Amino acid sequence: MVSSIPIQRMQAPLRRSLARAAAISSRPYATVPSPSASASPSSQQPSTSDKPRPTYFKDKSVADFSDFLGTSSADAPLDPNEAYTLRTAEVGPAGRKHTMTRLPEWLKTPIPSAGTNPNYAKIKADLRGLGLHTVCEEARCPNIGECWGGSNKASATATIMLMGDTCTRGCRFCSVKTSRTPAPLDPHEPENTAEALARWGLGYVVLTSVDRDDLADGGAHHFAETIRRIKQKKPTLLVEALTGDFRGDLDMVKVVAESGLDVYAHNVETTEGLTPYVRDRRATFRQSLKVLEHVKAVKGKDGIITKTSIMLGLGETEEEIWETLRELRKIDVDIVTFGQYMRPTKRHLKVEKYVTPAEFDLWGKRALDMGFLYCASGPLVRSSYKAGEAFIENVLRKRAGQKAPSTNTLDQVLAAEEVSRESM
């Protein structure tokens, strides 16, 4: 005869489940009664309390919404001293509130919309149709609305990102996707990119890429082949290449430098002391300096323009910035840009300081005094910056002995940059 003990063990969980389901079905919830239900109260379930069921979400759990809105307007302009004062807001539930620094006025930019900006929508559609990626989108650049929203595509700036949208490194400031095994390279990408850019009507283009440490050459030959095809299809198109460090392999740096590009850019990102905390462990400050130095050794001091970019607001000191600039001048780097570090997500490094526009202007002047050919410096300046590219284009065409673009056009771009800074 079969024992009844196993059957009882099977029945016990079933009884508990039925009891729990019955309790849940009779539990009153805060719902909005329908008109029919209001007309016949007798049909409603009896309430255990006259008060509504308390919820976690309360208006008093976060700061007032107006605290997060921009306050500068024509009706009530802010005093400069008040505008540069960083303000905070208490957010979070009672007992677990924390202080959050509000975004300064000079860092607030309009969110681009395909519905209100046809040119932005057209460029986005073109890029998706061609299967191209841009660092503008992947790195969440705050200038995407300005760069893509010009009056026509010829005046637009888009930094094309080669070799996919997944990086093999994980820098603590960057929001680009990471993986140890990204998708294989598209062998048709060099030809497709060259064809698209030749048809676009641009005079200056920036190519960059994710780090591909999974490849034997780091993607250097893929990079170089793209540049060569662009120059074959449109020799007058000026090409800037913003590359990685190829794990310090200077032979691969030479492959890209000799591909026919006009500007070789590689970012040191931050000061030497902060590099281990900001960048991936495989990227070092000295390794980046060797890349920039080797480009000049390959092409000559005046044979190519070298460029780098530095983020401020990560906790660097004034002396560290001075030392970084001195190291860059020792290896004849021509152009440097300064921009504010912006935290892409809560998983990334926090902002230690919001640098004011006045401080950015000061560092821009200091860089020029040290002998840099050009310096773009501002809160929203990024490595690929429209006014900087206009200046570089002018210099390159003069060096090549060609007819330089109109000085008035260049002056208009730089004047627009100055007006933009003053309005921040």
Side-chain angles (χ1 to χ4, degrees):
M1 184 176 69
V2 180
S3 174
S4 61
I5 294 178
I7 297 177
Q8 292 176 355
R9 289 179 178 176
M10 294 172 58
Q11 290 176 342
L14 181 60
R15 285 196 296 269
R16 286 196 296 268
S17 299
L18 292 173
R20 189 180 301 111
I24 292 174
S25 62
S26 62
R27 184 177 180 179
Y29 284 90
T31 58
V32 179
S34 61
S36 58
S38 301
S40 55
S42 59
S43 62
Q44 301 181 26
Q45 291 287 342
S47 176
T48 58
S49 174
D50 295 334
K51 296 182 180 180
R53 181 170 173 263
T55 64
Y56 170 80
F57 300 99
K58 301 176 182 178
D59 292 339
K60 63 182 181 180
S61 65
V62 295
D64 188 82
F65 182 68
S66 62
D67 289 346
F68 298 91
L69 297 177
T71 55
S72 59
S73 65
D75 298 331
L78 287 177
D79 180 81
N81 293 330
E82 182 184 356
Y84 287 175
T85 302
L86 299 184
R87 286 169 290 177
T88 60
E90 294 290 330
V91 298
R96 288 190 295 169
K97 289 186 178 293
H98 64 277
T99 303
M100 183 187 71
T101 302
R102 291 176 53 189
L103 197 65
E105 293 293 319
W106 62 81
L107 287 174
K108 295 181 180 179
T109 58
I111 299 174
S113 170
T116 58
N117 194 321
N119 195 50
Y120 173 85
K122 183 67 170 61
I123 291 175
K124 191 178 181 71
D126 286 349
L127 292 168
R128 293 294 79 77
L130 295 166
L132 299 177
H133 300 282
T134 67
V135 74
C136 316
E137 297 171 293
E138 298 299 331
R140 303 182 183 182
C141 179
N143 298 321
I144 189 170
E146 175 190 355
C147 293
W148 289 20
S151 58
N152 55 71
K153 285 198 298 183
S155 65
T157 299
T159 302
I160 305 299
M161 190 161 67
L162 304 175
M163 297 186 275
D165 60 351
T166 305
C167 186
T168 54
R169 297 189 184 180
C171 295
R172 298 168 185 85
F173 66 90
C174 183
S175 64
V176 175
K177 293 182 291 186
T178 63
S179 173
R180 291 177 179 172
T181 55
L185 298 182
D186 178 5
H188 304 293
E189 185 177 49
E191 176 64 24
N192 291 341
T193 302
E195 183 66 25
L197 294 175
R199 294 180 181 179
W200 210 343
L202 300 175
Y204 190 104
V205 65
V206 181
L207 301 176
T208 188
S209 72
V210 291
D211 280 297
R212 292 299 300 262
D213 294 325
D214 59 313
L215 303 175
D217 66 346
H221 289 89
H222 189 89
F223 220 127
E225 180 63 19
T226 304
I227 297 169
R228 280 193 289 267
R229 289 179 181 266
I230 292 173
K231 288 293 187 176
Q232 288 172 0
K233 291 181 179 293
K234 191 175 181 182
T236 58
L237 180 61
L238 299 177
V239 180
E240 174 183 328
L242 173 59
T243 75
D245 57 19
F246 301 113
R247 296 174 305 213
D249 189 341
L250 299 182
D251 289 337
M252 296 302 103
V253 174
K254 182 179 179 181
V255 167
V256 179
E258 292 182 334
S259 61
L261 77 167
D262 302 284
V263 180
Y264 196 115
H266 174 67
N267 294 339
V268 296
E269 307 294 2
T270 186
T271 62
E272 185 171 13
L274 289 176
T275 295
Y277 307 100
V278 174
R279 303 173 70 186
D280 187 277
R281 59 181 176 80
R282 288 163 284 187
T284 68
F285 183 81
R286 292 292 158 181
Q287 187 165 277
S288 292
L289 291 182
K290 288 179 181 178
V291 169
L292 293 165
E293 184 178 24
H294 193 65
V295 173
K296 288 288 188 181
V298 171
K299 299 292 291 183
K301 183 177 179 180
D302 296 326
I304 194 170
I305 289 179
T306 51
K307 175 182 172 184
T308 194
S309 182
I310 301 172
M311 297 179 292
L312 301 184
L314 286 163
E316 64 285 336
T317 64
E318 184 173 350
E319 180 53 37
E320 285 178 325
I321 301 174
W322 275 117
E323 183 58 29
T324 301
L325 293 177
R326 285 191 286 266
E327 291 291 339
L328 293 173
R329 285 307 301 143
K330 286 179 184 177
I331 58 174
D332 295 317
V333 172
D334 298 299
I335 294 173
V336 63
T337 67
F338 291 101
Q340 170 70 52
Y341 165 65
M342 304 280 283
R343 190 182 193 183
T345 71
K346 291 183 179 180
R347 298 189 301 273
H348 294 81
L349 288 171
K350 68 176 183 178
V351 178
E352 295 294 336
K353 178 185 178 181
Y354 287 114
V355 182
T356 65
E359 291 179 80
F360 275 110
D361 289 341
L362 180 60
W363 281 114
K365 293 174 182 177
R366 287 172 173 174
L368 294 177
D369 291 340
M370 292 181 69
F372 286 95
L373 182 66
Y374 178 77
C375 177
S377 181
L380 295 177
V381 169
R382 294 298 179 263
S383 180
S384 302
Y385 192 61
K386 215 158 50 170
E389 289 163 12
F391 182 89
I392 296 170
E393 182 176 354
N394 194 53
V395 171
L396 286 171
R397 296 198 187 281
K398 282 184 177 180
R399 283 187 178 182
Q402 301 175 6
K403 183 179 178 181
S406 171
T407 305
N408 293 333
T409 303
L410 178 62
D411 291 341
Q412 290 173 3
V413 175
L414 297 177
E417 177 187 8
E418 186 65 28
V419 171
S420 176
R421 290 179 183 175
E422 292 176 355
S423 63
M424 290 178 183

